Amino acid sequence: MFDTLFKGYCFECFCVVKSLSILFKVLSLYPLKNSIEKTDINMKIENKIAEAVISALKALYGIEPEMSAIQLQKTKKEFEGHLTLVVFPFLKASHKNPEATATEIGEYLIKNEPAVASFNVIKGFLNLVIDSTCWIEQLNEIASDARYGIKEPGQDAQLVMIEYSSPNTNKPLHLGHVRNNLLGYSISEILKANGNKVVKTNIVNDRGIHICKSMLAWEKWGDGVTPESSGKKGDHLIGDFYVLFDKHYKQEVAELQEKGMTKEEAEASSLLMAEAREMLRKWEAGDEQVRSVWRMMNDWVYAGFDETYRKMGVDFDKIYYESQTYLEGKEKVLEGLEKGIMYRKEDGSVWADLTAEGLDHKLLLRADGTSVYMTQDIGTAKLRFQDYPIDKMVYVVGNEQNYHFQVLSILLDKLGFSWGKDLVHFSYGMVELPEGKMKSREGTVVDADDLIEEMVNTARETSSELGKLDDCTSEEADAISNMVGLGALKYFILKVDPRKNMTFNPKESIDFNGNTGPFIQYTHARICSVLRKAAESGIVLPETANEKITLSDKEISLIQNLSEFPAVVSEAGSQFSPAIIANYIYDLVKEYNQFYHDFSILREENTEIRNFRLILSRNVAKVIKTGMSLLGIDVPDRM
């Protein structure tokens, strides 16, 4: 089905350890924790064990370290245990080898801390098995929090402004815009979940030579066509004229080359391009006829954009337009000129000398007084600072603009914007197709609307073939197909480290097995089905699970995974990475499906164990739904 759509597109020294080589070999078994693992076990359990370890160290070796010196981490899957204590920092005090030190601490904990059920020692690492009661207590705490993992903003919460989308009004949104919008929206939701106030903004590039190309083509070859008369969305219609301009321009250049001109000479002699430049000059001069056509065609595009945004499920709190901000930017640059922050060359152009910052000289106003993109971004920053008390500004823009935002940060700081120096350029990688890169001017882009439609249609076909829509009404089937299609698209894009380039393969994205959105959505629906059947059979679940039952390793592993969720949300926020949440949810779902396959739930004869498993399932579903919502993905209750 996609063949037609995508055709042609694209780290104290340890005196007891005899040598560093031995130490490195040991550490290869238990690598130091990464930033998530430092906080991934629920702090109540970790703090209880850490306090017990401090008591052990005081009783055994006469030392009382700070809590931060107790290195606890999640035990690796190949070893028995839930928490692992790194004992190397205590060898100097114990005057014993790592194994003897770990064994002494473990024996003390068994005698004095009920939460520790057993232990084993691997080199200098003490693996602790935590009693089931602690884990059930943890599950009950998770169950009591309807917004588990989400922090509400306090009175002193930071206001973070996030800019994403940033389209041009000369073409419809395409696959590259899809990644930008999905990343921007998800990062906004993740930062909200970390207790920040968030303002989502969009800057529309609605002026410049590229806009005039579409306008000129419409005037020349459009015959008065409108979205209504053509039956096309406005952004698609304007995009057609942008491509048409490029076609005629290339033809003209080719003809001039045939007459003996070089390519550069032919491009400089193009009458069509000269007309487009003249149209831009008239626009900047306020010519009402040109402005009238510009307003009309932009309105067509805005209506088209809004429809696509609704389909993608993204929105904005404030939209800025370059046509309204570039003059503010010129004013701010001239203010900087007066203050000696910028300088003027003999030809009248205005520049910023950034050599002291290790960069070069940056043009801000051309000799004819017209602005450049940097000027517009300065103007937009000025208006945003007037509109909102911004603490941090995040620009979601592709990595091809790294230099631009490095310069912008320096200039905003020089011009007095308190958040300028610390602005964040969320520099993400490009998205390509298996066939390669896309080119807007040649019309070889994957249109966002076409892509979404094909994803939804394929989701319906795949779901129907697998029998997942058999018991659904037509309305339910439509809703599920839309949810699955968009979920597949969003998850496939967001599960990838955003700083990396990626290849989007639509056929791989809609798969009910593996690391895909539909696989996660189906697991959520499966859990909801189990809970419905429980209710239909008259089972009334208590609010909390019985803490006296004994848990299997798989059940403990699931609770431990649930315990990681708040730290995962926190890490995703600090790293601006939806992929951290996406891959956490996938791992949780894999773990649950193994549990579902190996253990009875509704058929479990022991009522307390059955209720525990239902409560566990319900909270897995809760975390799945919350986590996926941070990615902008809905999950169905039935499927």
Side-chain angles (χ1 to χ4, degrees), residues 139 142 523-524 527 531 558-559 561-562 584-585 588-593 595 613-627:
L139 176 62
I142 294 172
T523 301
H524 182 270
I527 297 174
L531 296 174
L558 268 174
I559 298 173
N561 281 349
L562 291 175
Y584 162 81
I585 295 296
L588 175 64
V589 165
K590 277 197 306 180
E591 195 82 8
Y592 181 83
N593 279 307
F595 159 77
R613 290 174 181 168
L614 286 168
I615 292 171
L616 176 60
S617 297
R618 184 170 63 192
N619 283 281
V620 169
K622 178 173 71 177
V623 168
I624 292 173
K625 186 170 187 176
T626 301

PDB file of all heavy atoms in Angstrom, residues 139 142 523-524 527 531 558-559 561-562 584-585 588-593 595 613-627:
ATOM      1  N   LEU A 139       3.871  -1.564  45.598  1.00  0.00           N
ATOM      2  CA  LEU A 139       2.762  -1.625  44.647  1.00  0.00           C
ATOM      3  C   LEU A 139       1.552  -0.888  45.183  1.00  0.00           C
ATOM      4  O   LEU A 139       0.887  -0.144  44.429  1.00  0.00           O
ATOM      5  CB  LEU A 139       2.399  -3.082  44.350  1.00  0.00           C
ATOM      6  CG  LEU A 139       1.184  -3.284  43.428  1.00  0.00           C
ATOM      7  CD1 LEU A 139       1.442  -2.661  42.047  1.00  0.00           C
ATOM      8  CD2 LEU A 139       0.841  -4.748  43.299  1.00  0.00           C
ATOM      9  N   ILE A 142       1.987   2.772  44.714  1.00  0.00           N
ATOM     10  CA  ILE A 142       1.778   3.134  43.307  1.00  0.00           C
ATOM     11  C   ILE A 142       0.288   3.169  42.996  1.00  0.00           C
ATOM     12  O   ILE A 142      -0.211   4.092  42.336  1.00  0.00           O
ATOM     13  CB  ILE A 142       2.499   2.130  42.391  1.00  0.00           C
ATOM     14  CG1 ILE A 142       4.023   2.246  42.570  1.00  0.00           C
ATOM     15  CG2 ILE A 142       2.114   2.349  40.926  1.00  0.00           C
ATOM     16  CD1 ILE A 142       4.809   1.165  41.858  1.00  0.00           C
ATOM     17  N   THR A 523      -1.304  -4.588  24.251  1.00  0.00           N
ATOM     18  CA  THR A 523      -1.089  -5.058  25.622  1.00  0.00           C
ATOM     19  C   THR A 523      -1.982  -4.302  26.592  1.00  0.00           C
ATOM     20  O   THR A 523      -2.562  -4.885  27.513  1.00  0.00           O
ATOM     21  CB  THR A 523       0.386  -4.903  26.034  1.00  0.00           C
ATOM     22  OG1 THR A 523       1.198  -5.669  25.132  1.00  0.00           O
ATOM     23  CG2 THR A 523       0.618  -5.395  27.454  1.00  0.00           C
ATOM     24  N   HIS A 524      -2.136  -3.013  26.382  1.00  0.00           N
ATOM     25  CA  HIS A 524      -3.034  -2.235  27.232  1.00  0.00           C
ATOM     26  C   HIS A 524      -4.460  -2.735  27.093  1.00  0.00           C
ATOM     27  O   HIS A 524      -5.179  -2.912  28.086  1.00  0.00           O
ATOM     28  CB  HIS A 524      -2.961  -0.749  26.879  1.00  0.00           C
ATOM     29  CG  HIS A 524      -3.821   0.116  27.747  1.00  0.00           C
ATOM     30  ND1 HIS A 524      -5.129   0.414  27.422  1.00  0.00           N
ATOM     31  CD2 HIS A 524      -3.570   0.729  28.949  1.00  0.00           C
ATOM     32  CE1 HIS A 524      -5.650   1.180  28.368  1.00  0.00           C
ATOM     33  NE2 HIS A 524      -4.728   1.393  29.311  1.00  0.00           N
ATOM     34  N   ILE A 527      -4.928  -6.013  28.966  1.00  0.00           N
ATOM     35  CA  ILE A 527      -5.086  -5.840  30.418  1.00  0.00           C
ATOM     36  C   ILE A 527      -6.496  -5.349  30.736  1.00  0.00           C
ATOM     37  O   ILE A 527      -7.145  -5.822  31.675  1.00  0.00           O
ATOM     38  CB  ILE A 527      -4.031  -4.862  30.969  1.00  0.00           C
ATOM     39  CG1 ILE A 527      -2.626  -5.425  30.753  1.00  0.00           C
ATOM     40  CG2 ILE A 527      -4.269  -4.598  32.458  1.00  0.00           C
ATOM     41  CD1 ILE A 527      -1.505  -4.464  31.130  1.00  0.00           C
ATOM     42  N   LEU A 531      -9.390  -7.065  33.169  1.00  0.00           N
ATOM     43  CA  LEU A 531     -10.061  -6.338  34.249  1.00  0.00           C
ATOM     44  C   LEU A 531     -11.575  -6.321  34.035  1.00  0.00           C
ATOM     45  O   LEU A 531     -12.355  -6.424  34.995  1.00  0.00           O
ATOM     46  CB  LEU A 531      -9.514  -4.917  34.340  1.00  0.00           C
ATOM     47  CG  LEU A 531      -8.027  -4.806  34.731  1.00  0.00           C
ATOM     48  CD1 LEU A 531      -7.561  -3.360  34.636  1.00  0.00           C
ATOM     49  CD2 LEU A 531      -7.788  -5.356  36.129  1.00  0.00           C
ATOM     50  N   LEU A 558       8.198  -7.015  37.875  1.00  0.00           N
ATOM     51  CA  LEU A 558       7.218  -6.067  37.353  1.00  0.00           C
ATOM     52  C   LEU A 558       7.041  -4.871  38.282  1.00  0.00           C
ATOM     53  O   LEU A 558       6.994  -3.718  37.830  1.00  0.00           O
ATOM     54  CB  LEU A 558       5.869  -6.770  37.149  1.00  0.00           C
ATOM     55  CG  LEU A 558       5.613  -7.372  35.761  1.00  0.00           C
ATOM     56  CD1 LEU A 558       4.311  -8.169  35.761  1.00  0.00           C
ATOM     57  CD2 LEU A 558       5.594  -6.291  34.691  1.00  0.00           C
ATOM     58  N   ILE A 559       6.928  -5.128  39.592  1.00  0.00           N
ATOM     59  CA  ILE A 559       6.780  -4.024  40.553  1.00  0.00           C
ATOM     60  C   ILE A 559       8.021  -3.139  40.522  1.00  0.00           C
ATOM     61  O   ILE A 559       7.934  -1.904  40.569  1.00  0.00           O
ATOM     62  CB  ILE A 559       6.541  -4.562  41.974  1.00  0.00           C
ATOM     63  CG1 ILE A 559       5.246  -5.373  42.024  1.00  0.00           C
ATOM     64  CG2 ILE A 559       6.468  -3.404  42.979  1.00  0.00           C
ATOM     65  CD1 ILE A 559       5.007  -6.077  43.347  1.00  0.00           C
ATOM     66  N   ASN A 561       9.989  -2.686  38.026  1.00  0.00           N
ATOM     67  CA  ASN A 561       9.926  -1.882  36.806  1.00  0.00           C
ATOM     68  C   ASN A 561       8.965  -0.703  36.963  1.00  0.00           C
ATOM     69  O   ASN A 561       9.258   0.415  36.525  1.00  0.00           O
ATOM     70  CB  ASN A 561       9.477  -2.752  35.630  1.00  0.00           C
ATOM     71  CG  ASN A 561      10.603  -3.604  35.087  1.00  0.00           C
ATOM     72  OD1 ASN A 561      11.759  -3.415  35.441  1.00  0.00           O
ATOM     73  ND2 ASN A 561      10.277  -4.562  34.236  1.00  0.00           N
ATOM     74  N   LEU A 562       7.817  -0.958  37.585  1.00  0.00           N
ATOM     75  CA  LEU A 562       6.875   0.138  37.842  1.00  0.00           C
ATOM     76  C   LEU A 562       7.512   1.201  38.725  1.00  0.00           C
ATOM     77  O   LEU A 562       7.270   2.402  38.536  1.00  0.00           O
ATOM     78  CB  LEU A 562       5.601  -0.398  38.506  1.00  0.00           C
ATOM     79  CG  LEU A 562       4.684  -1.282  37.649  1.00  0.00           C
ATOM     80  CD1 LEU A 562       3.533  -1.818  38.500  1.00  0.00           C
ATOM     81  CD2 LEU A 562       4.145  -0.504  36.457  1.00  0.00           C
ATOM     82  N   TYR A 584      11.280   2.488  27.790  1.00  0.00           N
ATOM     83  CA  TYR A 584      10.893   1.991  29.115  1.00  0.00           C
ATOM     84  C   TYR A 584       9.534   1.293  29.035  1.00  0.00           C
ATOM     85  O   TYR A 584       9.349   0.190  29.562  1.00  0.00           O
ATOM     86  CB  TYR A 584      10.829   3.139  30.124  1.00  0.00           C
ATOM     87  CG  TYR A 584      10.025   2.777  31.362  1.00  0.00           C
ATOM     88  CD1 TYR A 584      10.600   2.040  32.394  1.00  0.00           C
ATOM     89  CD2 TYR A 584       8.682   3.148  31.473  1.00  0.00           C
ATOM     90  CE1 TYR A 584       9.854   1.674  33.520  1.00  0.00           C
ATOM     91  CE2 TYR A 584       7.931   2.788  32.587  1.00  0.00           C
ATOM     92  CZ  TYR A 584       8.520   2.062  33.603  1.00  0.00           C
ATOM     93  OH  TYR A 584       7.787   1.686  34.704  1.00  0.00           O
ATOM     94  N   ILE A 585       8.576   1.927  28.369  1.00  0.00           N
ATOM     95  CA  ILE A 585       7.243   1.330  28.243  1.00  0.00           C
ATOM     96  C   ILE A 585       7.319  -0.002  27.493  1.00  0.00           C
ATOM     97  O   ILE A 585       6.656  -0.981  27.865  1.00  0.00           O
ATOM     98  CB  ILE A 585       6.282   2.294  27.524  1.00  0.00           C
ATOM     99  CG1 ILE A 585       6.057   3.555  28.381  1.00  0.00           C
ATOM    100  CG2 ILE A 585       4.947   1.617  27.239  1.00  0.00           C
ATOM    101  CD1 ILE A 585       5.368   3.293  29.701  1.00  0.00           C
ATOM    102  N   LEU A 588       8.601  -2.612  29.868  1.00  0.00           N
ATOM    103  CA  LEU A 588       7.556  -2.947  30.839  1.00  0.00           C
ATOM    104  C   LEU A 588       6.523  -3.876  30.203  1.00  0.00           C
ATOM    105  O   LEU A 588       6.098  -4.867  30.808  1.00  0.00           O
ATOM    106  CB  LEU A 588       6.879  -1.665  31.328  1.00  0.00           C
ATOM    107  CG  LEU A 588       5.677  -1.849  32.276  1.00  0.00           C
ATOM    108  CD1 LEU A 588       6.118  -2.495  33.587  1.00  0.00           C
ATOM    109  CD2 LEU A 588       5.005  -0.497  32.538  1.00  0.00           C
ATOM    110  N   VAL A 589       6.143  -3.570  28.993  1.00  0.00           N
ATOM    111  CA  VAL A 589       5.154  -4.379  28.282  1.00  0.00           C
ATOM    112  C   VAL A 589       5.690  -5.781  27.999  1.00  0.00           C
ATOM    113  O   VAL A 589       4.970  -6.780  28.137  1.00  0.00           O
ATOM    114  CB  VAL A 589       4.734  -3.655  26.981  1.00  0.00           C
ATOM    115  CG1 VAL A 589       4.016  -4.604  26.037  1.00  0.00           C
ATOM    116  CG2 VAL A 589       3.846  -2.464  27.317  1.00  0.00           C
ATOM    117  N   LYS A 590       6.942  -5.871  27.584  1.00  0.00           N
ATOM    118  CA  LYS A 590       7.550  -7.190  27.370  1.00  0.00           C
ATOM    119  C   LYS A 590       7.511  -8.013  28.653  1.00  0.00           C
ATOM    120  O   LYS A 590       7.167  -9.200  28.632  1.00  0.00           O
ATOM    121  CB  LYS A 590       9.007  -7.044  26.926  1.00  0.00           C
ATOM    122  CG  LYS A 590       9.209  -6.783  25.455  1.00  0.00           C
ATOM    123  CD  LYS A 590      10.648  -7.065  25.038  1.00  0.00           C
ATOM    124  CE  LYS A 590      11.647  -6.314  25.887  1.00  0.00           C
ATOM    125  NZ  LYS A 590      13.039  -6.597  25.469  1.00  0.00           N
ATOM    126  N   GLU A 591       7.874  -7.391  29.774  1.00  0.00           N
ATOM    127  CA  GLU A 591       7.889  -8.067  31.071  1.00  0.00           C
ATOM    128  C   GLU A 591       6.481  -8.525  31.447  1.00  0.00           C
ATOM    129  O   GLU A 591       6.268  -9.635  31.934  1.00  0.00           O
ATOM    130  CB  GLU A 591       8.439  -7.121  32.137  1.00  0.00           C
ATOM    131  CG  GLU A 591       8.834  -7.780  33.434  1.00  0.00           C
ATOM    132  CD  GLU A 591      10.214  -8.404  33.398  1.00  0.00           C
ATOM    133  OE1 GLU A 591      10.946  -8.202  32.415  1.00  0.00           O
ATOM    134  OE2 GLU A 591      10.547  -9.115  34.364  1.00  0.00           O
ATOM    135  N   TYR A 592       5.493  -7.678  31.205  1.00  0.00           N
ATOM    136  CA  TYR A 592       4.118  -8.039  31.552  1.00  0.00           C
ATOM    137  C   TYR A 592       3.621  -9.201  30.691  1.00  0.00           C
ATOM    138  O   TYR A 592       2.954 -10.114  31.181  1.00  0.00           O
ATOM    139  CB  TYR A 592       3.166  -6.859  31.396  1.00  0.00           C
ATOM    140  CG  TYR A 592       1.750  -7.254  31.775  1.00  0.00           C
ATOM    141  CD1 TYR A 592       1.355  -7.256  33.113  1.00  0.00           C
ATOM    142  CD2 TYR A 592       0.840  -7.690  30.818  1.00  0.00           C
ATOM    143  CE1 TYR A 592       0.084  -7.666  33.484  1.00  0.00           C
ATOM    144  CE2 TYR A 592      -0.432  -8.104  31.178  1.00  0.00           C
ATOM    145  CZ  TYR A 592      -0.805  -8.093  32.512  1.00  0.00           C
ATOM    146  OH  TYR A 592      -2.054  -8.525  32.880  1.00  0.00           O
ATOM    147  N   ASN A 593       3.905  -9.167  29.423  1.00  0.00           N
ATOM    148  CA  ASN A 593       3.443 -10.236  28.554  1.00  0.00           C
ATOM    149  C   ASN A 593       4.048 -11.586  28.923  1.00  0.00           C
ATOM    150  O   ASN A 593       3.384 -12.623  28.796  1.00  0.00           O
ATOM    151  CB  ASN A 593       3.735  -9.886  27.092  1.00  0.00           C
ATOM    152  CG  ASN A 593       2.698  -8.938  26.508  1.00  0.00           C
ATOM    153  OD1 ASN A 593       1.505  -9.199  26.564  1.00  0.00           O
ATOM    154  ND2 ASN A 593       3.151  -7.809  25.989  1.00  0.00           N
ATOM    155  N   PHE A 595       4.845 -12.368  32.024  1.00  0.00           N
ATOM    156  CA  PHE A 595       4.080 -12.682  33.233  1.00  0.00           C
ATOM    157  C   PHE A 595       2.703 -13.235  32.857  1.00  0.00           C
ATOM    158  O   PHE A 595       2.263 -14.251  33.392  1.00  0.00           O
ATOM    159  CB  PHE A 595       3.949 -11.420  34.088  1.00  0.00           C
ATOM    160  CG  PHE A 595       2.812 -11.436  35.070  1.00  0.00           C
ATOM    161  CD1 PHE A 595       2.902 -12.159  36.250  1.00  0.00           C
ATOM    162  CD2 PHE A 595       1.643 -10.729  34.813  1.00  0.00           C
ATOM    163  CE1 PHE A 595       1.844 -12.179  37.156  1.00  0.00           C
ATOM    164  CE2 PHE A 595       0.581 -10.734  35.704  1.00  0.00           C
ATOM    165  CZ  PHE A 595       0.687 -11.471  36.881  1.00  0.00           C
ATOM    166  N   ARG A 613      -2.566 -10.026  41.558  1.00  0.00           N
ATOM    167  CA  ARG A 613      -2.213  -9.997  40.141  1.00  0.00           C
ATOM    168  C   ARG A 613      -3.107  -9.060  39.343  1.00  0.00           C
ATOM    169  O   ARG A 613      -2.657  -8.428  38.381  1.00  0.00           O
ATOM    170  CB  ARG A 613      -2.251 -11.425  39.576  1.00  0.00           C
ATOM    171  CG  ARG A 613      -1.114 -12.285  40.110  1.00  0.00           C
ATOM    172  CD  ARG A 613      -1.199 -13.735  39.680  1.00  0.00           C
ATOM    173  NE  ARG A 613      -0.080 -14.481  40.262  1.00  0.00           N
ATOM    174  CZ  ARG A 613       0.016 -15.817  40.266  1.00  0.00           C
ATOM    175  NH1 ARG A 613      -0.948 -16.554  39.698  1.00  0.00           N
ATOM    176  NH2 ARG A 613       1.060 -16.415  40.822  1.00  0.00           N
ATOM    177  N   LEU A 614      -4.359  -8.964  39.741  1.00  0.00           N
ATOM    178  CA  LEU A 614      -5.246  -8.007  39.080  1.00  0.00           C
ATOM    179  C   LEU A 614      -4.832  -6.577  39.394  1.00  0.00           C
ATOM    180  O   LEU A 614      -4.832  -5.707  38.506  1.00  0.00           O
ATOM    181  CB  LEU A 614      -6.698  -8.253  39.499  1.00  0.00           C
ATOM    182  CG  LEU A 614      -7.373  -9.483  38.880  1.00  0.00           C
ATOM    183  CD1 LEU A 614      -8.694  -9.780  39.586  1.00  0.00           C
ATOM    184  CD2 LEU A 614      -7.597  -9.269  37.377  1.00  0.00           C
ATOM    185  N   ILE A 615      -4.495  -6.322  40.657  1.00  0.00           N
ATOM    186  CA  ILE A 615      -4.037  -4.975  41.041  1.00  0.00           C
ATOM    187  C   ILE A 615      -2.730  -4.644  40.324  1.00  0.00           C
ATOM    188  O   ILE A 615      -2.531  -3.516  39.824  1.00  0.00           O
ATOM    189  CB  ILE A 615      -3.866  -4.879  42.571  1.00  0.00           C
ATOM    190  CG1 ILE A 615      -5.232  -4.971  43.263  1.00  0.00           C
ATOM    191  CG2 ILE A 615      -3.154  -3.579  42.964  1.00  0.00           C
ATOM    192  CD1 ILE A 615      -5.158  -5.090  44.771  1.00  0.00           C
ATOM    193  N   LEU A 616      -1.839  -5.615  40.234  1.00  0.00           N
ATOM    194  CA  LEU A 616      -0.582  -5.429  39.509  1.00  0.00           C
ATOM    195  C   LEU A 616      -0.865  -5.101  38.044  1.00  0.00           C
ATOM    196  O   LEU A 616      -0.303  -4.150  37.482  1.00  0.00           O
ATOM    197  CB  LEU A 616       0.276  -6.694  39.622  1.00  0.00           C
ATOM    198  CG  LEU A 616       1.597  -6.699  38.831  1.00  0.00           C
ATOM    199  CD1 LEU A 616       2.495  -5.553  39.288  1.00  0.00           C
ATOM    200  CD2 LEU A 616       2.302  -8.042  38.997  1.00  0.00           C
ATOM    201  N   SER A 617      -1.767  -5.868  37.440  1.00  0.00           N
ATOM    202  CA  SER A 617      -2.109  -5.632  36.033  1.00  0.00           C
ATOM    203  C   SER A 617      -2.702  -4.242  35.832  1.00  0.00           C
ATOM    204  O   SER A 617      -2.357  -3.532  34.874  1.00  0.00           O
ATOM    205  CB  SER A 617      -3.111  -6.693  35.558  1.00  0.00           C
ATOM    206  OG  SER A 617      -2.543  -7.987  35.611  1.00  0.00           O
ATOM    207  N   ARG A 618      -3.602  -3.863  36.722  1.00  0.00           N
ATOM    208  CA  ARG A 618      -4.243  -2.554  36.614  1.00  0.00           C
ATOM    209  C   ARG A 618      -3.214  -1.429  36.660  1.00  0.00           C
ATOM    210  O   ARG A 618      -3.336  -0.436  35.922  1.00  0.00           O
ATOM    211  CB  ARG A 618      -5.270  -2.380  37.736  1.00  0.00           C
ATOM    212  CG  ARG A 618      -6.057  -1.078  37.655  1.00  0.00           C
ATOM    213  CD  ARG A 618      -7.217  -1.088  38.640  1.00  0.00           C
ATOM    214  NE  ARG A 618      -6.742  -1.175  40.026  1.00  0.00           N
ATOM    215  CZ  ARG A 618      -7.535  -1.428  41.078  1.00  0.00           C
ATOM    216  NH1 ARG A 618      -8.833  -1.651  40.887  1.00  0.00           N
ATOM    217  NH2 ARG A 618      -7.043  -1.476  42.298  1.00  0.00           N
ATOM    218  N   ASN A 619      -2.192  -1.574  37.483  1.00  0.00           N
ATOM    219  CA  ASN A 619      -1.188  -0.520  37.601  1.00  0.00           C
ATOM    220  C   ASN A 619      -0.176  -0.539  36.466  1.00  0.00           C
ATOM    221  O   ASN A 619       0.371   0.504  36.104  1.00  0.00           O
ATOM    222  CB  ASN A 619      -0.509  -0.596  38.964  1.00  0.00           C
ATOM    223  CG  ASN A 619      -1.386  -0.019  40.054  1.00  0.00           C
ATOM    224  OD1 ASN A 619      -1.480   1.183  40.226  1.00  0.00           O
ATOM    225  ND2 ASN A 619      -2.088  -0.902  40.773  1.00  0.00           N
ATOM    226  N   VAL A 620       0.046  -1.709  35.877  1.00  0.00           N
ATOM    227  CA  VAL A 620       0.845  -1.750  34.662  1.00  0.00           C
ATOM    228  C   VAL A 620       0.122  -0.976  33.560  1.00  0.00           C
ATOM    229  O   VAL A 620       0.722  -0.163  32.848  1.00  0.00           O
ATOM    230  CB  VAL A 620       1.111  -3.208  34.220  1.00  0.00           C
ATOM    231  CG1 VAL A 620       1.709  -3.237  32.814  1.00  0.00           C
ATOM    232  CG2 VAL A 620       2.044  -3.901  35.210  1.00  0.00           C
ATOM    233  N   ALA A 621      -1.200  -1.216  33.443  1.00  0.00           N
ATOM    234  CA  ALA A 621      -1.986  -0.492  32.444  1.00  0.00           C
ATOM    235  C   ALA A 621      -1.952   1.008  32.705  1.00  0.00           C
ATOM    236  O   ALA A 621      -1.857   1.815  31.763  1.00  0.00           O
ATOM    237  CB  ALA A 621      -3.429  -0.994  32.451  1.00  0.00           C
ATOM    238  N   LYS A 622      -2.009   1.403  33.973  1.00  0.00           N
ATOM    239  CA  LYS A 622      -1.984   2.828  34.321  1.00  0.00           C
ATOM    240  C   LYS A 622      -0.688   3.484  33.862  1.00  0.00           C
ATOM    241  O   LYS A 622      -0.700   4.580  33.269  1.00  0.00           O
ATOM    242  CB  LYS A 622      -2.158   3.000  35.830  1.00  0.00           C
ATOM    243  CG  LYS A 622      -2.088   4.448  36.304  1.00  0.00           C
ATOM    244  CD  LYS A 622      -2.433   4.577  37.775  1.00  0.00           C
ATOM    245  CE  LYS A 622      -1.351   4.011  38.671  1.00  0.00           C
ATOM    246  NZ  LYS A 622      -1.675   4.202  40.111  1.00  0.00           N
ATOM    247  N   VAL A 623       0.428   2.802  34.104  1.00  0.00           N
ATOM    248  CA  VAL A 623       1.727   3.361  33.719  1.00  0.00           C
ATOM    249  C   VAL A 623       1.885   3.372  32.200  1.00  0.00           C
ATOM    250  O   VAL A 623       2.425   4.321  31.629  1.00  0.00           O
ATOM    251  CB  VAL A 623       2.872   2.589  34.407  1.00  0.00           C
ATOM    252  CG1 VAL A 623       4.222   2.966  33.801  1.00  0.00           C
ATOM    253  CG2 VAL A 623       2.868   2.870  35.906  1.00  0.00           C
ATOM    254  N   ILE A 624       1.391   2.328  31.544  1.00  0.00           N
ATOM    255  CA  ILE A 624       1.419   2.317  30.081  1.00  0.00           C
ATOM    256  C   ILE A 624       0.663   3.525  29.536  1.00  0.00           C
ATOM    257  O   ILE A 624       1.159   4.257  28.666  1.00  0.00           O
ATOM    258  CB  ILE A 624       0.798   1.023  29.519  1.00  0.00           C
ATOM    259  CG1 ILE A 624       1.683  -0.182  29.839  1.00  0.00           C
ATOM    260  CG2 ILE A 624       0.586   1.140  28.008  1.00  0.00           C
ATOM    261  CD1 ILE A 624       1.053  -1.512  29.465  1.00  0.00           C
ATOM    262  N   LYS A 625      -0.554   3.738  30.044  1.00  0.00           N
ATOM    263  CA  LYS A 625      -1.376   4.838  29.549  1.00  0.00           C
ATOM    264  C   LYS A 625      -0.732   6.184  29.818  1.00  0.00           C
ATOM    265  O   LYS A 625      -0.688   7.058  28.931  1.00  0.00           O
ATOM    266  CB  LYS A 625      -2.759   4.781  30.200  1.00  0.00           C
ATOM    267  CG  LYS A 625      -3.745   5.800  29.638  1.00  0.00           C
ATOM    268  CD  LYS A 625      -5.153   5.534  30.131  1.00  0.00           C
ATOM    269  CE  LYS A 625      -6.176   6.438  29.458  1.00  0.00           C
ATOM    270  NZ  LYS A 625      -7.555   6.110  29.873  1.00  0.00           N
ATOM    271  N   THR A 626      -0.198   6.370  31.028  1.00  0.00           N
ATOM    272  CA  THR A 626       0.458   7.638  31.357  1.00  0.00           C
ATOM    273  C   THR A 626       1.691   7.857  30.505  1.00  0.00           C
ATOM    274  O   THR A 626       1.902   8.944  29.945  1.00  0.00           O
ATOM    275  CB  THR A 626       0.842   7.679  32.842  1.00  0.00           C
ATOM    276  OG1 THR A 626      -0.328   7.527  33.649  1.00  0.00           O
ATOM    277  CG2 THR A 626       1.516   9.006  33.192  1.00  0.00           C
ATOM    278  N   GLY A 627       2.518   6.813  30.403  1.00  0.00           N
ATOM    279  CA  GLY A 627       3.745   6.933  29.622  1.00  0.00           C
ATOM    280  C   GLY A 627       3.471   7.227  28.160  1.00  0.00           C
ATOM    281  O   GLY A 627       4.093   8.110  27.562  1.00  0.00           O
TER     282      GLY A 627
END
